[in-house]
Amino acid sequence: MKRYRKEKFEDLGLDTKSGNEGYRALNKDGSFNVKKENVAFFERINVFHSMVSMSWLRFFGVLALGYFLINIIFASLYLIIGTEHLTGIRGTTPLDQFTEAFFFSAQTVTTLGYGQVAPLNLAANMVAATESLLGLLMFALATGLMYGRFSKPFATIKYSSHAVMAPYRDINGFMFRVVNPKSNQLMEVEVNVTLSMKRDSESEVRDFFSLELEREKVVFFPTMWTIVHPVGKESPLFNKTAQEIIEGDAEFIVMIKAFDESFSQTVYSKSSYKAEEIKWGEKFTYLTKRHGNGVAIDISQIDATYKAELNP
């Protein structure tokens, strides 16, 4: 009886047949380069994720737009009911009446209520009561979203814009640099680098290789870290030229995991390097220098390199 042998995959859950030239699985900002088509409208909606993930400018823009739309809708309802059913409305033109109804709506939705304008009949009171309830719910939701944005753990790790193929001891090494520009402390930092490359120049199938690193884990991460993959005889890059790696449409996929002391949670960071983003025969400049009784690092020079002849 033939025993079944479980096959081990290194593809990270990415498509092994995405062999198109110029294909990139992971963007530089860590987002996946995947477009999902023909997804039902309600299946692709994720309001909470969108609101906590978008930029602060867009977030406040969405809140402001929602606030004005609600007031415009309710101001229109008050005009339909009739401004004669609201006390204190002094406007004589439709525009003046709409403006006063709009600001009355703003006072009602925030439960502020200056008392100058008040509803008189049943319809106006029902609209005002509905608006005040909606205002309470909307502001509670906005508060929750604000808290979600502030409490969301994320790693703001900065990557060098390019990698290098540089001399490393008596061989060569694939290298890139990372640094934590924030003042929060990251500990137990682990890194995983996977090489994705076409099986051959004509193939649509991609092979994935987990690259062995000089150091896969550091306990503390207060300074800049140069991550090195030694290109020895067991490396999939051994004896590969720059042109061969480019023709193989190589992509180096990086994932970093760390424990963030501020959030007391594990955070992740992702990025990638394409073959065209590798500088051959260059080495990163050493940036750490003495500063008083400690050290200083010029983070703006994370991409600084100098020429260095590769080992044969």
Side-chain angles (χ1 to χ4, degrees):
M1 182 177 177
K2 188 176 180 180
R3 179 177 293 180
Y4 170 73
R5 183 177 179 182
K6 185 177 180 180
E7 186 177 355
K8 185 178 180 181
F9 294 92
E10 302 281 357
D11 61 1
L12 304 178
L14 301 173
D15 193 352
T16 60
K17 293 187 178 181
S18 300
N20 295 333
E21 194 70 28
Y23 167 79
R24 184 169 204 150
L26 199 65
N27 295 315
K28 296 292 287 183
D29 62 359
S31 61
F32 288 104
N33 196 21
V34 177
K35 180 181 179 182
K36 299 177 182 177
E37 299 179 338
N38 299 320
V39 181
F41 177 75
F42 288 103
E43 289 182 358
R44 67 172 181 262
I45 289 179
N46 190 338
V47 177
F48 180 79
H49 172 75
S50 299
M51 293 296 289
V52 300
S53 301
M54 65 178 57
S55 66
W56 280 104
L57 185 62
R58 289 189 62 189
F59 176 74
F60 285 116
V62 170
L63 291 185
L65 179 62
Y67 177 76
F68 280 106
L69 285 177
I70 289 174
N71 286 311
I72 287 173
I73 292 171
F74 279 94
S76 301
L77 290 177
Y78 292 128
L79 286 182
I80 293 172
I81 293 171
T83 54
E84 66 274 11
H85 298 296
L86 296 174
T87 63
I89 297 293
R90 299 186 178 89
T92 56
T93 66
L95 180 59
D96 290 339
Q97 292 176 351
F98 178 82
T99 302
E100 292 189 58
F102 178 88
F103 286 113
F104 170 65
S105 172
Q107 297 164 26
T108 304
V109 78
T110 58
T111 67
L112 182 60
Y114 289 118
Q116 178 181 339
V117 182
L120 292 175
N121 67 347
L122 178 61
N125 275 287
M126 289 180 63
V127 171
T130 303
E131 185 177 11
S132 62
L133 175 61
L134 180 63
L136 289 173
L137 294 175
M138 293 299 294
F139 279 102
L141 178 62
T143 302
L145 290 172
M146 286 284 290
Y147 176 77
R149 291 181 66 90
F150 277 110
S151 61
K152 179 184 177 183
F154 60 93
T156 54
I157 293 177
K158 184 176 182 179
Y159 296 80
S160 57
S161 60
H162 58 264
V164 298
M165 190 67 72
Y168 173 75
R169 298 182 180 175
D170 57 344
I171 54 176
N172 299 312
F174 168 80
M175 310 177 187
F176 61 94
R177 288 205 288 206
V178 293
V179 66
N180 176 23
K182 303 291 186 180
S183 58
N184 61 314
Q185 295 300 318
L186 299 178
M187 300 182 297
E188 301 290 340
V189 184
E190 300 178 23
V191 61
N192 175 275
V193 181
T194 300
L195 169 63
S196 167
M197 189 162 55
K198 291 198 297 185
R199 190 161 293 176
D200 57 65
S201 58
E202 303 298 327
S203 175
E204 292 186 356
V205 179
R206 302 184 74 88
D207 289 325
F208 290 79
F209 307 93
S210 181
L211 299 185
E212 184 177 349
L213 303 178
E214 174 196 49
R215 179 183 295 182
E216 297 179 349
K217 181 177 180 180
V218 292
V219 178
F220 304 114
F221 187 39
T223 61
M224 198 170 290
W225 181 13
T226 301
I227 297 170
V228 181
H229 163 62
V231 184
K233 292 183 179 180
E234 297 181 354
S235 170
L237 299 175
F238 184 68
N239 282 340
K240 294 280 188 183
T241 64
Q243 187 60 33
E244 287 175 329
I245 292 178
I246 291 174
E247 290 176 355
D249 196 29
E251 180 180 7
F252 297 81
I253 301 170
V254 182
M255 188 180 78
I256 296 178
K257 179 175 73 172
F259 181 81
D260 192 324
E261 217 176 25
S262 302
F263 296 102
S264 293
Q265 292 187 41
T266 301
V267 293
Y268 296 87
S269 177
K270 307 183 295 295
S271 189
S272 73
Y273 295 94
K274 290 291 289 182
E276 298 81 3
E277 296 169 341
I278 302 175
K279 293 184 177 182
W280 289 70
E282 295 194 25
K283 198 168 186 177
F284 285 115
T285 305
Y286 187 72
L287 299 177
T288 304
K289 59 183 180 181
R290 289 292 301 271
H291 179 71
N293 59 353
V295 296
I297 304 171
D298 186 356
I299 294 178
S300 66
Q301 298 298 311
I302 188 173
D303 296 323
T305 59
Y306 62 92
K307 295 292 182 180
E309 186 176 353
L310 292 172
N311 290 313

